[in-house]
Amino acid sequence: MSDAVDILFAQNRAWSARMQQDRPGFFSALVKQQAPQFMWIGCSDSRVPANQITGLEPGEVFVHRNVANVVVHSDLNALSAIQFAVEHLKVRHIMVVGHYACGGVAAALANVRVGLADNWIRHVQDVRDRHRDMLGRICEQRQPDALSELNVVEQVANVATSTVLRDAWLRGQEVTIHGWAFGVQDGLLQDLGMDVCGGASLQVSYDLAITRIRRKYAAGAD
């Protein structure tokens, strides 16, 4: 193995030893069962680690990540992860988390070809096209941030209209979906106001979130 990979193993051994010394029984408790309240659906970007951002321990957040935090109804990988989290782990909160300075969003906005991922980024371009009028009224420098937020709102709607969540709500299971954005420039999470706790609340939450984004990025807004 290369020296770079050897360093990872060395760091892992050091971390394991430190955890066992500082918190005896940590790993034996971890083996028994994961019982997270939270599911995080985020971007694969290496700057956006779910546990560190939220201060949660291993076992406290179930994570699914892909380029530009996209959830589409044909993606069995994402839907299987959501179903496992909802039906088996009984999570109570699903956070769809985008981030500013997202490469996938930037590529979708500028029509940059990156290769095979172009087919995946097409889903973000669909969001761009759906909100073309709004984006056209926003100064060019702020369009990537606006599209990142719009993309989160649309992906929350996709999670909410999935068969997994519709079935969960029909049987009375309490699960709320939240839309957030992470600032790589300051390390802070932003609540986009897109919270859905059942099918009846989806349209109202969607309309309010889109209105908030429109006002936030209106000309002259901070």
Side-chain angles (χ1 to χ4, degrees):
M1 289 185 290
S2 68
D3 291 342
V5 173
D6 285 340
I7 289 172
L8 298 185
F9 278 96
Q11 291 178 168
N12 168 253
R13 287 190 290 270
W15 172 77
S16 175
R18 187 167 59 251
M19 290 296 291
Q20 293 185 68
Q21 178 179 344
D22 295 344
R23 299 172 62 179
F26 175 80
F27 291 110
S28 58
L30 203 59
V31 165
K32 293 178 182 177
Q33 179 63 43
Q34 61 169 335
Q37 294 187 54
F38 308 103
M39 179 180 188
W40 174 288
I41 300 175
C43 182
S44 298
D45 194 298
S46 60
R47 301 167 295 175
V48 192
N51 288 76
Q52 288 176 269
I53 289 170
T54 55
L56 293 174
E57 297 280 2
E60 291 185 334
V61 58
F62 190 70
V63 178
H64 176 80
R65 298 170 72 178
N66 60 49
V67 175
N69 45 272
V70 168
V71 178
V72 289
H73 301 299
S74 58
D75 181 8
L76 297 183
N77 184 6
L79 294 178
S80 296
I82 294 169
Q83 181 182 28
F84 189 84
V86 171
E87 296 185 9
H88 296 279
L89 299 179
K90 306 297 183 184
V91 299
R92 297 178 63 88
H93 301 276
I94 299 174
M95 299 89 74
V96 179
V97 188
H99 67 97
Y100 304 113
C102 178
V105 168
L109 190 61
N111 286 313
V112 173
R113 293 293 304 273
V114 297
L116 181 63
D118 295 338
N119 300 282
W120 185 255
I121 292 171
R122 177 67 246 180
H123 296 298
V124 186
Q125 289 176 326
D126 290 342
V127 176
R128 175 202 65 189
D129 294 344
R130 187 172 300 120
H131 299 284
R132 186 180 299 277
D133 289 344
M134 184 198 305
L135 290 167
R137 297 188 182 97
I138 299 170
C139 68
E140 187 174 348
Q141 292 81 358
R142 304 190 74 194
Q143 287 179 9
D145 287 353
L147 182 54
S148 291
E149 295 185 8
L150 290 167
N151 185 51
V152 167
V153 171
E154 295 292 346
Q155 305 315 320
V156 170
N158 286 346
V159 176
T161 54
S162 69
T163 55
V164 176
L165 268 297
R166 284 188 292 163
D167 290 347
W169 287 327
L170 278 174
R171 61 177 176 264
Q173 187 171 343
E174 294 184 2
V175 187
T176 303
I177 314 166
H178 311 273
W180 298 349
F182 175 70
V184 295
Q185 75 282 0
D186 58 16
L188 296 177
L189 287 166
Q190 303 295 327
D191 184 354
L192 302 181
M194 181 63 176
D195 302 298
V196 184
C197 58
S201 67
L202 173 58
Q203 192 62 53
V204 172
S205 295
Y206 179 90
D207 291 343
L208 288 172
I210 294 298
T211 298
R212 288 179 61 173
I213 294 171
R214 182 182 295 110
R215 290 174 177 170
K216 176 179 178 179
Y217 291 96
D222 294 331

